[in-house]
Amino acid sequence: MAEMRQSEQEIVVEQILDAPRELVWKASTDPELISQWWGSKSLTTTVEEMDVRPGGMWRIVQRDAEGNEYAFHGVYHEVSPPERIVGTFEFEGMPGHIMLETDTFEDLSGGRTKMTYRMVFQSVEDRDAVLQSGVQGELVEGVDHLAELLEDLKAQRPAAPAP
Protein backbone atom coordinates (compact mmCIF):
# COMPACT_ATOMS: atom_id res chain seq x y z
CA MET A 1 0.00 0.00 0.00
CA ALA A 2 1.33 3.41 -0.95
CA GLU A 3 2.12 5.90 1.79
CA MET A 4 1.46 9.62 1.39
CA ARG A 5 2.76 12.52 3.46
CA GLN A 6 2.74 16.26 3.00
CA SER A 7 4.54 19.38 4.07
CA GLU A 8 3.87 23.04 3.43
CA GLN A 9 4.27 23.03 -0.37
CA GLU A 10 4.70 19.40 -1.27
CA ILE A 11 3.11 15.97 -1.35
CA VAL A 12 5.22 12.82 -1.28
CA VAL A 13 3.94 9.35 -2.19
CA GLU A 14 6.18 6.34 -1.52
CA GLN A 15 5.78 2.67 -2.24
CA ILE A 16 8.03 -0.35 -1.94
CA LEU A 17 7.36 -2.43 -5.03
CA ASP A 18 8.18 -6.12 -5.30
CA ALA A 19 9.80 -5.73 -8.71
CA PRO A 20 13.26 -4.88 -10.04
CA ARG A 21 13.99 -1.21 -10.68
CA GLU A 22 14.34 -1.67 -14.46
CA LEU A 23 10.80 -3.12 -14.64
CA VAL A 24 9.37 -0.29 -12.50
CA TRP A 25 11.15 2.21 -14.76
CA LYS A 26 9.69 0.57 -17.87
CA ALA A 27 6.16 0.63 -16.39
CA SER A 28 6.66 4.32 -15.56
CA THR A 29 7.92 5.38 -19.00
CA ASP A 30 6.16 3.07 -21.49
CA PRO A 31 2.91 4.70 -22.73
CA GLU A 32 1.17 1.33 -23.21
CA LEU A 33 1.92 0.34 -19.62
CA ILE A 34 1.11 3.74 -18.11
CA SER A 35 -2.39 3.61 -19.58
CA GLN A 36 -2.95 0.40 -17.61
CA TRP A 37 -2.20 1.79 -14.15
CA TRP A 38 -2.22 5.61 -14.06
CA GLY A 39 -5.00 7.00 -11.87
CA SER A 40 -8.34 5.58 -10.84
CA LYS A 41 -9.67 2.34 -12.33
CA SER A 42 -12.99 4.13 -12.82
CA LEU A 43 -11.35 6.21 -15.58
CA THR A 44 -9.97 5.27 -18.99
CA THR A 45 -6.44 6.58 -19.45
CA THR A 46 -4.95 7.46 -22.84
CA VAL A 47 -1.35 8.57 -23.28
CA GLU A 48 -1.49 11.02 -26.18
CA GLU A 49 2.16 12.08 -26.07
CA MET A 50 5.18 10.81 -24.16
CA ASP A 51 8.67 11.81 -25.23
CA VAL A 52 10.73 10.70 -22.23
CA ARG A 53 13.88 12.83 -22.63
CA PRO A 54 14.98 16.22 -21.33
CA GLY A 55 12.80 18.79 -23.10
CA GLY A 56 10.33 16.11 -24.20
CA MET A 57 6.64 16.63 -23.60
CA TRP A 58 3.90 14.37 -22.28
CA ARG A 59 0.09 14.54 -22.29
CA ILE A 60 -2.37 12.12 -20.70
CA VAL A 61 -6.16 12.25 -20.99
CA GLN A 62 -8.55 10.43 -18.68
CA ARG A 63 -12.24 9.87 -19.42
CA ASP A 64 -15.02 8.86 -17.07
CA ALA A 65 -18.09 6.75 -17.90
CA GLU A 66 -20.08 9.89 -18.81
CA GLY A 67 -17.45 10.99 -21.34
CA ASN A 68 -15.96 13.81 -19.26
CA GLU A 69 -12.28 14.39 -20.01
CA TYR A 70 -9.50 15.29 -17.60
CA ALA A 71 -6.22 16.16 -19.31
CA PHE A 72 -2.73 16.60 -17.85
CA HIS A 73 0.54 17.60 -19.48
CA GLY A 74 4.10 18.57 -18.74
CA VAL A 75 7.71 18.75 -19.85
CA TYR A 76 10.56 16.46 -18.80
CA HIS A 77 13.52 18.38 -17.36
CA GLU A 78 15.74 15.49 -16.30
CA VAL A 79 15.63 11.83 -17.31
CA SER A 80 18.24 9.56 -15.72
CA PRO A 81 17.30 5.92 -16.45
CA PRO A 82 16.48 3.96 -14.35
CA GLU A 83 16.90 6.27 -11.34
CA ARG A 84 15.10 9.59 -11.70
CA ILE A 85 12.66 11.69 -13.71
CA VAL A 86 12.06 15.41 -13.07
CA GLY A 87 9.39 17.34 -14.89
CA THR A 88 6.40 19.60 -14.72
CA PHE A 89 2.81 18.51 -14.19
CA GLU A 90 -0.23 20.62 -15.00
CA PHE A 91 -3.94 19.75 -14.86
CA GLU A 92 -5.46 21.43 -17.90
CA GLY A 93 -8.64 22.14 -15.92
CA MET A 94 -6.59 24.54 -13.75
CA PRO A 95 -4.14 26.19 -16.16
CA GLY A 96 -1.20 28.02 -14.64
CA HIS A 97 -1.03 25.85 -11.51
CA ILE A 98 2.11 23.93 -12.41
CA MET A 99 3.92 21.66 -10.01
CA LEU A 100 7.40 20.17 -10.22
CA GLU A 101 7.41 16.39 -9.89
CA THR A 102 10.46 14.30 -9.08
CA ASP A 103 10.11 10.53 -9.40
CA THR A 104 12.92 8.42 -7.96
CA PHE A 105 13.43 4.68 -8.27
CA GLU A 106 15.71 3.24 -5.59
CA ASP A 107 17.10 -0.26 -6.11
CA LEU A 108 16.53 -2.34 -2.96
CA SER A 109 17.77 -5.81 -2.09
CA GLY A 110 15.73 -8.82 -3.13
CA GLY A 111 14.65 -7.38 -6.48
CA ARG A 112 12.51 -4.67 -4.90
CA THR A 113 12.25 -0.96 -5.70
CA LYS A 114 11.37 2.04 -3.58
CA MET A 115 9.47 4.48 -5.78
CA THR A 116 8.99 8.04 -4.54
CA TYR A 117 6.85 10.75 -6.17
CA ARG A 118 7.66 14.21 -4.79
CA MET A 119 5.35 16.98 -5.98
CA VAL A 120 6.35 20.56 -5.18
CA PHE A 121 3.64 23.20 -5.62
CA GLN A 122 3.96 26.92 -6.36
CA SER A 123 1.96 27.74 -3.24
CA VAL A 124 0.31 26.25 -0.18
CA GLU A 125 -3.02 27.13 -1.82
CA ASP A 126 -2.17 25.01 -4.86
CA ARG A 127 -1.21 22.09 -2.64
CA ASP A 128 -4.42 22.48 -0.64
CA ALA A 129 -6.53 22.60 -3.81
CA VAL A 130 -5.06 19.25 -4.88
CA LEU A 131 -5.67 17.75 -1.46
CA GLN A 132 -9.26 19.01 -1.40
CA SER A 133 -9.96 17.71 -4.93
CA GLY A 134 -9.54 14.10 -3.86
CA VAL A 135 -6.61 13.61 -6.22
CA GLN A 136 -4.48 12.26 -3.38
CA GLY A 137 -6.71 9.17 -3.30
CA GLU A 138 -6.13 8.69 -7.02
CA LEU A 139 -2.37 9.08 -6.52
CA VAL A 140 -2.29 6.31 -3.95
CA GLU A 141 -4.74 4.19 -5.99
CA GLY A 142 -2.58 4.60 -9.11
CA VAL A 143 0.57 3.46 -7.32
CA ASP A 144 -1.35 0.47 -5.95
CA HIS A 145 -2.47 -0.35 -9.54
CA LEU A 146 1.16 -0.12 -10.60
CA ALA A 147 2.05 -2.75 -7.99
CA GLU A 148 -0.65 -5.03 -9.45
CA LEU A 149 0.58 -4.48 -13.01
CA LEU A 150 4.17 -5.24 -11.97
CA GLU A 151 3.04 -8.57 -10.51
CA ASP A 152 1.41 -9.41 -13.87
CA LEU A 153 4.52 -8.33 -15.80
CA LYS A 154 6.80 -10.40 -13.55
CA ALA A 155 4.61 -13.45 -14.15
CA GLN A 156 5.04 -12.95 -17.92
CA ARG A 157 8.84 -12.73 -17.77
CA PRO A 158 10.89 -15.89 -18.22
CA ALA A 159 12.45 -17.15 -15.02
CA ALA A 160 16.18 -16.65 -14.53
CA PRO A 161 18.20 -19.78 -15.25
CA ALA A 162 19.19 -21.81 -12.20
CA PRO A 163 22.91 -21.72 -11.34
Side-chain angles (χ1 to χ4, degrees):
M1 179 76 163
E3 176 185 319
M4 189 180 88
R5 64 184 188 277
Q6 64 194 46
S7 63
E8 189 170 309
Q9 283 183 248
E10 69 179 11
I11 297 173
V12 178
V13 178
E14 291 183 337
Q15 171 108 350
I16 304 292
L17 298 162
D18 189 21
R21 180 168 64 172
E22 289 74 17
L23 189 58
V24 177
W25 177 269
K26 178 179 172 68
S28 299
T29 57
D30 181 326
E32 288 183 27
L33 296 176
I34 288 172
S35 66
Q36 296 178 47
W37 67 265
W38 204 77
S40 171
K41 283 190 177 178
S42 67
L43 302 170
T44 301
T45 301
T46 303
V47 178
E48 291 192 344
E49 182 175 4
M50 183 160 283
D51 184 8
V52 186
R53 64 175 178 81
M57 297 179 67
W58 65 271
R59 185 170 192 263
I60 295 176
V61 178
Q62 295 186 302
R63 291 173 184 83
D64 64 19
E66 292 78 40
N68 297 306
E69 290 189 355
Y70 310 94
F72 309 84
H73 70 270
V75 175
Y76 295 103
H77 291 271
E78 176 187 333
V79 178
S80 302
E83 299 171 2
R84 180 174 148 110
I85 300 172
V86 179
T88 59
F89 183 105
E90 181 175 8
F91 171 48
E92 292 178 8
M94 293 179 62
H97 297 273
I98 302 166
M99 71 173 150
L100 184 67
E101 182 175 330
T102 301
D103 305 336
T104 56
F105 306 86
E106 182 182 345
D107 195 14
L108 302 177
S109 63
R112 297 176 309 134
T113 303
K114 179 180 180 181
M115 186 175 66
T116 303
Y117 291 142
R118 180 176 311 278
M119 295 154 275
V120 179
F121 297 85
Q122 294 176 353
S123 67
V124 173
E125 293 78 18
D126 281 0
R127 188 221 50 200
D128 288 349
V130 166
L131 291 172
Q132 292 167 3
S133 73
V135 168
Q136 75 271 19
E138 287 188 28
L139 289 170
V140 171
E141 187 180 352
V143 175
D144 290 342
H145 297 158
L146 173 58
E148 294 168 11
L149 175 64
L150 290 167
E151 286 303 314
D152 291 345
L153 293 173
K154 285 185 348 185
Q156 295 171 15
R157 294 175 79 186

